[in-house]
Amino acid sequence: MAEVISNNTQSLELGESLNRRAWLRFRENLPAMVASVFLISLIMIAICWPFVSGLGNQHSDAQFNAPSAQYWFGTDVHGRDLFGRVLAGARISLLVGLVGALVSLVIGVFWGATAGLLGGRWDNWMMRTVDVLYSLPSIIFVIVIITTLEGLIQGWIESVFGGDGSETARHILLYAGLGAVSWLTMARIVRGQVLALREQQFVEASRSLGLGTWSILWRHILPNVFGVVIVYLTLTLPAVVLYESFLSYLGLGIQPPQASLGSLIAEGAAQINPVRIYWWMILFPAGGLAALLMALNFIGDGLRDVFDPKSTNER
Amino acid sequence: MSLAYFLKRLAMLVPLILVISFIAFCLVRVAPGGPFDKERAPASPDIERNLKAKYHLDDPLWKQYLRFIGVGFEGGLIRGDFGPSLKYRNHSVNDIMAQGLPVSLLLGLVSFGFSLGVGIPLGIWTALQRGRWQDHLGSFISILAVCIPAFVLGPILIVILGIKWPIFPVGLWGGPWHVILPAVTLGTYFAGKVARLTREGMSQAMQQDFITTARAKGVSEKSIVFRHALREGILPVVTYSGPLLADLMVGSFVVENLFQIPGIGVFLVNSSINRDYTMVVGLVILYSVLLLTLNLVVDVIYGVLDKRVSYG
């Protein structure tokens, strides 16, 4: 908008767009900026590492090596370089987190916007459902769903695409399951925004011009809830990453030889014994997960302060 | 909260539990495989047929569900009977729950107490020191706690406090000494979360007009914080206690697994992999009943604390 106007009138060129002002405020938030730099470098390194490193993901005789100049994070039970494993784990954890959060975004925005827009009895029922789901142990359903439906999905993938479908089946179930338990807060927030927006005059105007409910939702309401949605997407991300590593830790998430941070921690915890302590096998994956979660949390908090200063809701 | 509303909520639990039991029942049945697939010796078709007949698994599905609920049959859910376990022979699901539930509840309760006992004071303290280095330090600790889930903290605590310096037992369940490490492992994450919520609630409460009024009247600072502000500042924590309890249960799977604690959390994952139909459905119902009831209690407490809230 600002650019369009500034082409016509010179005096308005000094004005700042809302996004630019938000960026300026975000930049002043030191923890959020540090976290962003860390996250971006982590992603870059995690993507590039397999091409740069000579160690690869190969099994070797160097079993349980302590951290050294060659193996920065030591080696694991199969003699694999732990540094590369942790990076690979971070990549998978971030991928699952991102896709899971996007699934939750789609469900949450759809549910919340529909409830807010339809209003009345529909709104009542849809939000009651959300209340009920809030008070259910949803992750238990995810565990049951993953363990029960895995065989079905795997069989279906193998019959349609051929090949071994177990890895794909796990990924699909993880994305769907994690998305399905994380959309509740998003739905509540979007509904609140939509309720406020639909009373605004520009919505009234489009309605009087004969625009249908869905067009109003798509063209006028959703663009306006975009900022808040992005904020809660960033706040959902660490929660999904945490759930994923939790499931992987239990052996229900990512399966070997693939690694996620959770399954790496599980591998490390399995090696705990009173005789020898392979501390690096726990410390580095755990540190990686904690650093990743912290970075995501700081960025989410920073974005929330910028876009949604009034909110104190943490759920 | 009016009594009528409370009773209405209580009555709502019944159809809800029925729906949940139906979904869980259908879900475990559509899964491929059955409870007798992984027997040690490959069962002959005759044995398997007999087993299925014994547990009525050859009946049509609707009949099995009615039997499970107890409509037109002996026992069943409406009489508080979850039926026999299909994997742990000669044990009923009720037996297994009766053994494991007290352990899990104790662990959950101690962790809940730990997270409130550490989180609320930390939150109040950081809120009162807002903007100073104490606030930054406290906030950093609480965000760090939120980023260290139980399955990360647990192994680290075991290695340091169980093996390196053997102060605490590394596992199993015995005296009160055994409770400490698991409870701290489980509670740290929630302590961080509670601290963050308390800080936000308290900082907002301290800016309210009634605090200024109390100050002007010469009320002591201690009384302002603990008698006036805390009552409002604690509300976000009360709201969060519902999901907190749910997450505590989830976390208890990991902690029970890690410390070899004989609770019921261990059974959920194993039973759903083993297709122990009755056990899975029983556990899902048990967890749902627990959570729904606790959430109702949380709402009652919320209504008592905040008189402005009206339900109905």
Side-chain angles (χ1 to χ4, degrees):
Chain A
M1 280 290 270
E3 293 85 346
V4 180
I5 296 168
S6 61
N7 284 341
N8 303 330
T9 43
Q10 286 289 318
S11 58
L12 277 180
E13 244 178 359
L14 288 172
E16 289 169 333
S17 74
L18 273 178
N19 284 337
R20 182 163 166 72
R21 203 173 295 169
W23 162 240
L24 287 177
R25 278 178 63 189
F26 186 77
R27 213 169 54 175
E28 280 168 18
N29 188 336
L30 185 68
M33 278 310 284
V34 173
S36 313
V37 172
F38 169 78
L39 189 66
I40 292 170
S41 355
L42 179 71
I43 294 173
M44 304 269 270
I45 296 173
I47 292 174
C48 299
W49 184 251
F51 306 108
V52 180
S53 159
L55 295 169
N57 201 15
Q58 301 298 317
H59 291 208
S60 76
D61 294 335
Q63 202 187 16
F64 296 130
N65 274 18
S68 63
Q70 190 189 2
Y71 303 112
W72 296 347
F73 282 5
T75 58
D76 69 356
V77 60
H78 296 300
R80 284 171 294 194
D81 174 39
L82 200 57
F83 186 71
R85 294 282 287 167
V86 168
L87 283 179
R91 206 166 49 213
I92 295 265
S93 288
L94 267 172
L95 175 74
V96 176
L98 199 64
V99 180
L102 283 175
V103 171
S104 84
L105 177 137
V106 172
I107 304 177
V109 168
F110 175 77
W111 194 272
T114 312
L117 208 61
L118 293 178
R121 198 192 300 159
W122 279 98
D123 179 33
N124 197 6
W125 271 104
M126 290 176 86
M127 291 333 273
R128 272 290 153 82
T129 312
V130 170
D131 289 345
V132 168
L133 289 177
Y134 249 126
S135 60
L136 284 181
S138 40
I139 197 77
I140 289 176
F141 280 95
V142 175
I143 291 177
V144 174
I145 287 174
I146 286 182
T147 47
T148 52
L149 296 191
E150 192 185 8
L152 282 184
I153 306 252
Q154 186 182 339
W156 180 79
I157 290 174
E158 280 168 5
S159 68
V160 176
F161 299 102
D164 177 27
S166 62
E167 224 165 62
T168 327
R170 264 295 159 87
H171 273 267
I172 290 177
L173 276 170
L174 268 182
Y175 300 150
L178 292 174
V181 293
S182 316
W183 59 272
L184 299 173
T185 306
M186 186 69 91
R188 273 193 182 168
I189 283 161
V190 169
R191 171 193 171 257
Q193 295 276 318
V194 170
L195 275 185
L197 278 171
R198 70 177 203 152
E199 303 302 325
Q200 304 258 328
Q201 285 185 341
F202 70 95
V203 174
E204 197 76 1
S206 12
R207 192 167 286 138
S208 66
L209 286 171
L211 216 58
T213 307
W214 292 109
S215 317
I216 292 179
L217 179 69
W218 193 247
R219 300 264 310 270
H220 295 284
I221 296 202
L222 285 187
N224 277 301
V225 297
F226 186 71
V228 179
V229 165
I230 290 298
V231 170
Y232 280 88
L233 181 71
T234 4
L235 288 173
T236 312
L237 246 169
V240 178
V241 170
L242 196 59
Y243 272 142
E244 179 274 322
S245 41
F246 161 76
L247 289 174
S248 297
Y249 178 84
L250 286 180
L252 299 173
I254 301 297
Q255 296 292 300
Q258 282 197 319
S260 93
L261 290 173
S263 65
L264 287 177
I265 295 168
E267 281 173 24
Q271 299 299 335
I272 293 182
N273 63 64
V275 187
R276 280 219 56 182
I277 301 170
Y278 305 117
W279 52 270
W280 57 91
M281 283 188 65
I282 295 178
L283 193 69
F284 290 118
L289 180 64
L292 180 63
L293 289 175
M294 261 182 122
L296 290 172
N297 270 315
F298 276 126
I299 295 173
D301 281 356
L303 283 177
R304 188 180 55 177
D305 288 346
V306 168
F307 281 110
D308 194 12
K310 275 174 294 183
S311 167
T312 56
N313 191 340
E314 249 214 34
R315 287 171 61 174
Chain B
M1 180 185 281
S2 67
L3 188 67
Y5 176 73
F6 178 75
L7 291 177
K8 200 173 132 197
R9 282 280 299 269
L10 209 59
M12 269 295 286
L13 290 186
V14 178
L16 211 54
I17 294 299
L18 277 179
V19 172
I20 290 167
S21 74
F22 183 71
I23 294 173
F25 191 88
C26 295
L27 207 59
V28 290
R29 296 303 159 115
V30 294
F36 310 120
D37 288 353
K38 291 178 185 162
E39 294 291 318
R40 232 166 285 155
S44 73
D46 288 334
I47 295 178
E48 198 171 327
R49 199 175 314 125
N50 280 339
L51 276 172
K52 281 195 165 160
K54 185 186 169 198
Y55 293 110
H56 307 287
L57 294 179
D58 45 2
D59 283 352
L61 209 58
W62 59 269
K63 210 170 168 185
Q64 289 184 42
Y65 183 67
L66 286 186
R67 185 188 300 277
F68 174 74
I69 294 295
V71 177
F73 292 94
E74 288 287 302
L77 187 62
I78 50 173
R79 294 175 191 83
D81 182 3
F82 289 108
S85 163
L86 303 181
K87 206 71 195 179
Y88 306 91
R89 299 287 162 67
N90 307 323
H91 287 277
S92 72
V93 175
N94 292 50
D95 285 344
I96 297 173
M97 284 179 183
Q99 278 173 15
L101 191 60
V103 176
S104 293
L105 280 184
L106 181 66
L107 174 63
L109 215 64
V110 176
S111 319
F112 187 62
F114 173 80
S115 48
L116 292 188
V118 172
I120 292 177
L122 185 64
I124 295 175
W125 187 63
T126 47
L128 294 182
Q129 305 286 343
R130 202 183 165 102
R132 288 183 226 164
W133 66 266
Q134 293 98 324
D135 175 27
H136 294 305
L137 178 70
S139 301
F140 183 77
I141 292 175
S142 51
I143 205 168
L144 187 68
V146 174
C147 296
I148 302 184
F151 56 87
V152 170
L153 188 61
I156 293 176
L157 285 182
I158 290 179
V159 167
I160 296 176
L161 294 177
I163 296 176
K164 190 98 181 163
W165 297 293
I167 305 170
F168 294 100
V170 290
L172 299 179
W173 197 248
W177 214 228
H178 287 83
V179 190
I180 296 175
L181 271 196
V184 170
T185 304
L186 187 51
T188 300
Y189 173 84
F190 302 103
K193 201 121 188 175
V194 167
R196 278 161 66 90
L197 286 171
T198 312
R199 178 177 173 274
E200 281 195 33
M202 279 302 280
S203 343
Q204 284 209 333
M206 291 298 282
Q207 289 163 8
Q208 300 272 354
D209 288 343
F210 66 84
I211 297 293
T212 318
T213 312
R215 275 221 179 92
K217 282 173 149 180
V219 179
S220 76
E221 196 63 29
K222 201 171 136 196
S223 175
I224 284 179
V225 172
F226 289 103
R227 293 198 42 197
H228 296 262
L230 189 59
R231 207 184 156 112
E232 188 178 308
I234 204 78
L235 289 179
V237 177
V238 179
T239 322
Y240 173 62
S241 332
L244 186 154
L245 290 163
D247 287 347
L248 263 183
M249 287 176 182
V250 173
S252 73
F253 303 158
V254 170
V255 173
E256 285 175 14
N257 179 305
L258 207 58
F259 290 89
Q260 309 280 309
I261 296 169
I264 46 170
V266 192
F267 286 103
L268 184 78
V269 179
N270 289 343
S271 305
S272 42
I273 291 173
N274 289 334
R275 308 277 184 264
D276 190 344
Y277 297 145
T278 42
M279 193 76 198
V280 175
V281 180
L283 284 174
V284 168
I285 293 174
L286 178 72
Y287 277 122
S288 308
V289 170
L290 265 176
L291 256 181
L292 289 168
T293 325
L294 287 170
N295 269 295
L296 191 55
V297 173
V298 166
D299 280 353
V300 171
I301 295 175
Y302 201 96
V304 171
L305 278 178
D306 191 348
K307 294 284 193 295
R308 290 166 302 186
V309 176
S310 70
Y311 295 96

